[in-house]
């Protein structure tokens, strides 16, 4: 059995490496492409922030945009409580769920 495996490795070793490289490249493409798409969408959201937008911090705190600077955003998290946060820590807040009546 081992002799057969060694013989196949000697005869088709080049094609084995090609297939391994092809599989690694496909895995990289399938993993990295969705991540880059998400990053682009988040960057587009952060660049389009304006006063009144609902946002959530990466730590889970919800708020409403009070003002926007180049690298920071002032977010009102409660009446009269405004926090200054790095733009990269802000994500779009999900739409509030409305309960359906039966």
């Amino acid at each position: 059995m081992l002799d057969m495996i060694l013989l196949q490795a000697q005869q088709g070793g080049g094609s084995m490496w090609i297939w391994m490289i092809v599989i690694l490249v496909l895995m990289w493409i399938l993993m990295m492409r969705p991540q880059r798409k998400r990053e682009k969408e988040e960057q587009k959201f952060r660049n389009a922030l304006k006063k009144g937008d609902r946002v959530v911090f990466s730590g889970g705190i919800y708020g409403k945009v009070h003002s926007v600077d180049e690298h920071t955003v002032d977010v009102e998290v409660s009446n009269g409580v405004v926090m200054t946060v790095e733009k990269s820590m802000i994500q779009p807040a999900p739409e509030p769920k409305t309960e359906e009546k039966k």
Side-chain angles (χ1 to χ4, degrees), residues 80-95:
V81 179
V82 178
M83 298 173 66
T84 302
V85 183
E86 181 73 27
K87 268 188 178 180
S88 63
M89 294 292 114
I90 293 182
Q91 302 168 352
E95 294 296 321

Side-chain angles (χ1 to χ4, degrees), residues 95-102:
E95 294 296 321
K97 294 181 182 178
T98 56
E99 293 185 28
E100 296 180 20
K101 295 181 180 178
K102 291 185 179 182

Side-chain angles (χ1 to χ4, degrees), residues 11-81:
Q11 290 175 352
S15 65
M16 180 183 71
W17 284 106
I18 291 171
W19 280 110
M20 287 182 68
I21 291 171
V22 168
I23 289 171
L24 288 173
V25 167
L26 284 173
M27 285 177 52
W28 182 79
I29 289 171
L30 292 174
M31 291 172 63
M32 296 302 289
R33 191 163 186 212
Q35 181 180 353
R36 286 188 179 165
K37 184 178 178 182
R38 249 189 332 269
E39 288 173 358
K40 285 181 183 180
E41 289 173 359
E42 286 179 1
Q43 188 63 34
K44 184 178 175 182
F45 165 76
R46 289 181 186 124
N47 290 336
L49 279 174
K50 62 187 180 301
K51 185 174 182 174
D53 287 347
R54 288 179 33 103
V55 295
V56 63
F57 300 160
S58 59
I61 300 173
Y62 286 79
K64 194 177 281 189
V65 175
H66 189 265
S67 66
V68 180
D69 292 329
E70 186 176 345
H71 299 288
T72 60
V73 178
D74 292 337
V75 179
E76 186 173 10
V77 293
S78 183
N79 290 336
V81 179

